[in-house]
Structures are given as C-alpha cells and as structure tokens.
Amino acid sequence: MLHKLGFKKQSKRQETIEERKQEAMKHPVPKHVAIIMDGNGRWAKKRALPRIAGHHEGMKVVRKITKLANSLKLEALTVYAFSTENWKRPKSEVDYLMKLPEEFLGTYLPELVEENVQVRMIGYRDTLPAHTQRAVDNAIQQTANNSGLVLNFALNYGSRAEIIDAVKQVLNDYKSGIIKEDELSEDSFSRYLMTGQLNDPDLLIRTSGEIRLSNFMLWQLAYTEFWFTEVLWPDFSEQHFMEAIEAYQKRSRRFGGV
Ligand code: FPP
C-alpha cells in the first residue's frame, strides 16, 4: 500500500545488537580497540548544560561499550580519559574529571569484577590526586585475577612523554648491562612503554569529528586502522561501536606488505 502511494519501500529494519554481534563474531574481531572519547563539552553545550554534564554522560557510555567489548571477546579496550594536556582546563573541570574514576568504579566495579574484566591504567599515576590513585589502585587490585577484557584507562597519559621515559629507561638498562645494543628491537622497546605486554590496538575510534591523534599512543598506533565519526561521545551507542567493528572487518590489513 505504502508503495502504491509512492512512498519508498521501508528500508531493511536495523539489526539488533545481538544479531550484529553474532554476525561479527563469525569473523576476526579486533583484539584491542582504543578510543579517543571526544565531544563531551559540545554535547553539554548543545543542551545548555555545564561541560561536566557531558563528562558524566560520557562515563555511562564507557560502561556500555565495556560490556559490549567484553561480550565480543575483545582482549583490550583502551579509553583516553585524561591527557597530560588536560590539566590546562579550568580547575573545576579538572577536579570533576579527577573524581570520575571514583564515581565510575564506585558504581560499576562490582559488575566489572562479576563480568571478569581486568581494570588497568596507563599514564602518570603519581601526579594524580591521592583519591583518584586510590580508586584506580583498588580496582586494579580487585580485578587482577580476572581473565576477561582488559579495560585500560589512559589517565594523565601523554605519548611523547611516555616514549622519552622509555628511552631513558633503555639508557639506564644499557648502562647497567641489562640490555645490549643489538637486543634493542621494536619488540623489546615496546615493553618499555606503559602498555607493556598489551598488543598494539588494531582499531582506533575517535568521536566528535576531530581527525587527529592528540598525543595518544603514537608508537602503538603505527599499524592501527582508524575509524572516525561525527557522533559526540555521550551519544555514542552500541550500534556505533558495531559499525566501527564491521568497518574494521571489511578492511584488509597488509602491515606494509602487498
Ligand atoms: C574530551 O571531550 C573528553 C575528555 C577530556 C574526558 C573524557 C572522559 C570521559 C568520557 C568520562 C569517562 C571517564 C571515566 C573515568 C569512566 P571534550 O571535553 O574535549 O569535549 P569538547 O571537545 O566537545 O569540548
């Protein structure tokens, strides 16, 4: 009938998350997904809300995407929660962002434990406020024996500083004879980085339409597939995450080969 009236036939209904998940799991899924969660401020501004309202909404999205990533059997999900440059923001916003790990973990740690997620962190821990350190340390400790998804918070993280620190550590180890010149390789150098034994990300997602890396995992992203979306982080849904996974699955990764 609709057709006769000149309306276009309705397009195929959107598959459910469960259907998309089942389909995606028939093919290799990325082992490690890294996300630059951007656009919280703009999301709040559009609603005439304070910026921190966007961060709070963004926190809930982290929970949703963690659950989905874990059920897709990903090995790791790294989320960029605070960069070494973010200290330049107004104090009230920084203070709020420093309380978010406590709120997130205070609310969701029992479920992360239950779901076998391992909480970890990369970044400069010692210069975080003591209350933030305590919340993160406690979560790392309580999930240390889990074996599911690694939920890796990049918190007070900056990639260039990470690389410089790794180089300094290599120099120290060289001086004390722990490493010889010919033992330094891409592999052995990787282990000096904060990501240690974690596989490099296979897929990087950045939300909010910005197309840059912002000092995030510069070494680790050398061969990573990038997926950018205009969607603001608080609006990022499970359907968007599946879209990114499916786009990744359609690409052919050659690692410089043919
Ligand atoms: C960038 O958006 C976002 C951040 C600097 C903070 C990211 C933090 C979260 C998503 C909360 C999750 C944290 C935990 C601990 C679960 P922006 O503020 O730069 O947005 P804008 O570019 O629109 O201003």
Side-chain angles (χ1 to χ4, degrees), residues 37-42 51 55 81 86 89 100-101 104 153 233:
M37 311 179 286
D38 200 2
N40 296 348
R42 275 162 284 169
R51 294 177 54 80
H55 297 316
N86 286 153
R89 294 185 176 213
L100 269 187
F104 178 84
F153 285 102
W233 178 250

Side-chain angles (χ1 to χ4, degrees), residues 36-44 51 54-63 79-83 86 89 93 97 99-102 104-105 108 151 153 155 206 208 210 212 232-234:
I36 304 178
M37 311 179 286
D38 200 2
N40 296 348
R42 275 162 284 169
W43 182 92
R51 294 177 54 80
H55 297 316
H56 193 260
E57 201 59 28
M59 180 190 77
K60 294 193 240 161
V61 178
V62 173
R63 178 212 184 189
V79 288
Y80 204 4
F82 194 89
S83 77
N86 286 153
R89 294 185 176 213
E93 185 174 347
L97 285 168
K99 283 194 195 115
L100 269 187
E102 269 164 287
F104 178 84
L105 295 164
Y108 303 124
L151 172 58
F153 285 102
L155 206 53
R206 182 169 189 153
S208 90
E210 308 296 345
R212 55 175 173 267
L232 305 175
W233 178 250

